[in-house]
Amino acid sequence: MTGFGGTASPGMVDWNLAVATATRLVRPGPDVSRDEARSVVAELRRHAKASEGHVRGFTRMSTEDTHDTPVLVVDRPGWVRANVAGFREILKPLLEKMQERRGNNPGSAVLGTVGGKVTGVELGMLLSFLSSRVLGQYETFAPAARDLPAGGNGGGRLLLVAPNIVHVERELDVEPHDFRLWVCLHEETHRTQFTAVPWLRDHLEGEIQSFLAETDVDPMTFLERIREAAQSLAGGRPEGEEEDGGRSFVELVQTPAQREILGRLTAVMSLLEGHADYVMDGVGPSVVPTVAEIREKFQQRRAKGASRLDMALRKLLGLDAKLRQYRDGERFVRAVVEQVGVDGFNRVWTSPNTLPTKAEIAKPADWVARVHRRPEA
């Protein structure tokens, strides 16, 4: 993919350098022959197609435009390119705002070029770390490109990262064909969520843009917050400052308004991830013979993480919060379905007003009472 630099916000982030850095640093995938690789790709495509019917039948969510959101089986560099395109699109307004703020200050062009390259390298390092861990992703915001097609009219694309799927199935020592279908069921649920709920993408984008609009783009303030984050991670907070409670870097750079928006985003992401886990487990027993073994081993893997560096990076990036989203969201979905059934749960997709709040994720009965309240006699 070419042209990541574009014309928007020139110099703020060197997108081409981010891709080049991530591609250079990305870990090699598992050792597979060319024939085996082709077989894995073909099987993932078959499972993705089969998952459509399984997920639609279980969720009772009507999707008419699934064909408009392609399934792409990618390698790690392919995942990086897709996500750089997504980052560039979603961050465009913020970077343009920062570009305007920088204005015509003396030396700003030189500093901007240097800063853009530094940021590009840092983003590339981050993406290289993540690229070996993501099994699949419904990529929502990036525009279509020649080598990474996407749906029209704002449709996304479903990414299945083949080397990571093979790596994890070998690491867990589970039945490969069952594991591949199990992963596809989870990711297909995300595609169903966005194709069956037309307003969901725009709602999420609006919340993210509101979050970014609240970002303080003053360079000195931003550097101060980075200093605080670094001291927190190193355990070297200045004398007299209270402990931060182990917050991630993401949390440390928030304004009060951003925390409110993040609360709403957290609730939505908990819903989406928990719903996907619930569907995966609900469909699994009928189509994935070894689902119980896969689920147990995968949960253990999620819980323990890997090396100390991996755990530190998870904390820095707020990935521990994502693990909580899976658990909390799945409990919410299960509790609501037990109370009001699948059709009653599906009222969650009616409008942004029927999405659960962060408090309701923890107390599903409150959501049921609000959304399903009966008029007084």
Side-chain angles (χ1 to χ4, degrees):
M1 183 180 297
T2 59
F4 284 123
T7 58
S9 307
M12 296 303 297
V13 178
D14 190 330
W15 299 108
N16 290 325
L17 185 57
V19 172
T21 300
T23 302
R24 186 176 71 252
L25 296 177
V26 71
R27 298 177 182 178
D31 186 18
V32 296
S33 67
R34 181 170 296 182
D35 288 343
E36 185 179 2
R38 289 197 187 103
S39 176
V40 170
V41 170
E43 184 175 18
L44 286 172
R45 286 176 176 154
R46 289 196 304 271
H47 284 332
K49 182 63 178 177
S51 294
E52 291 183 28
H54 296 317
V55 170
R56 290 183 194 182
F58 185 82
T59 63
R60 302 180 196 171
M61 297 175 72
S62 174
T63 59
E64 298 179 356
D65 297 325
T66 305
H67 66 279
D68 197 34
T69 55
V71 176
L72 306 179
V73 182
V74 298
D75 57 10
R76 290 168 179 174
W79 181 87
V80 167
R81 291 194 299 273
N83 277 267
V84 166
F87 276 130
R88 178 181 178 231
E89 186 70 16
I90 202 70
L91 292 176
K92 187 184 300 182
L94 174 64
L95 297 181
E96 288 176 345
K97 183 179 177 182
M98 293 178 71
Q99 181 79 9
E100 292 173 3
R101 176 70 66 90
R102 194 176 65 188
N104 296 318
N105 292 332
S108 63
V110 174
L111 289 174
T113 300
V114 173
K117 291 187 179 300
V118 170
T119 306
V121 169
E122 291 174 341
L123 179 59
M125 294 172 65
L126 167 62
L127 289 172
S128 72
F129 167 76
L130 294 174
S131 68
S132 64
R133 286 155 175 78
V134 176
L135 301 182
Q137 173 188 2
Y138 186 78
E139 207 289 314
T140 316
F141 301 111
R146 184 175 58 186
D147 58 340
L148 288 168
N153 299 318
R157 54 192 167 213
L158 181 60
L159 306 175
L160 296 170
V161 191
N164 296 350
I165 293 172
V166 172
H167 171 77
V168 173
E169 71 191 28
R170 291 179 178 179
E171 178 187 322
L172 299 181
D173 190 23
V174 293
E175 210 291 317
H177 307 294
D178 286 2
F179 183 75
R180 293 165 195 174
L181 176 55
W182 190 72
V183 170
C184 287
L185 289 170
H186 182 101
E187 302 307 333
E188 176 58 36
T189 303
H190 286 317
R191 185 164 69 145
T192 297
Q193 290 163 347
F194 282 91
T195 54
V197 186
W199 53 264
L200 184 57
R201 178 192 180 278
D202 289 341
H203 173 71
L204 273 178
E205 183 175 17
E207 290 281 61
I208 292 170
Q209 292 303 336
S210 296
F211 181 90
L212 295 176
E214 289 291 332
T215 299
D216 190 335
V217 293
D218 176 70
M220 293 306 297
T221 302
F222 189 69
L223 288 173
E224 178 66 18
R225 289 179 177 172
I226 291 177
R227 180 188 67 86
E228 292 175 1
Q231 289 172 337
S232 171
L233 291 168
R237 296 184 62 78
E239 184 178 355
E241 289 192 22
E242 295 181 0
E243 188 61 47
D244 62 35
R247 293 181 295 173
S248 69
F249 175 78
V250 173
E251 293 170 309
L252 285 169
V253 298
Q254 289 169 33
T255 65
Q258 283 177 311
R259 281 192 286 273
E260 291 183 14
I261 299 168
L262 189 69
R264 296 195 297 269
L265 281 170
T266 298
V268 176
M269 297 312 296
S270 294
L271 170 69
L272 298 180
E273 296 294 356
H275 183 234
D277 267 12
Y278 176 79
V279 172
M280 183 170 59
D281 288 346
V283 174
S286 63
V287 298
V288 182
T290 60
V291 65
E293 177 191 359
I294 291 173
R295 182 63 159 156
E296 181 181 0
K297 290 183 175 180
F298 195 76
Q299 287 289 66
Q300 290 173 354
R301 181 180 186 272
R302 270 183 182 172
K304 71 180 182 181
S307 65
R308 290 184 63 186
L309 174 61
D310 186 64
M311 294 177 69
L313 285 169
R314 275 170 45 179
K315 183 63 186 175
L316 170 64
L317 301 173
L319 298 181
D320 283 340
K322 184 175 178 65
L323 297 180
R324 289 194 298 273
Q325 288 172 9
Y326 285 105
R327 295 192 298 267
D328 297 345
E330 197 273 342
R331 281 196 292 263
F332 170 83
V333 175
R334 187 172 301 280
V336 170
V337 172
E338 287 176 354
Q339 291 184 58
V340 296
V342 172
D343 292 332
F345 165 79
N346 280 341
R347 289 183 63 176
V348 78
W349 311 116
T350 304
S351 75
N353 293 328
T354 56
L355 291 172
T357 64
K358 189 176 180 180
E360 288 170 342
I361 288 287
K363 295 183 177 180
D366 289 354
W367 180 86
V368 173
R370 176 172 67 87
V371 175
H372 289 266
R373 60 179 179 271
R374 296 178 176 84
E376 297 181 3

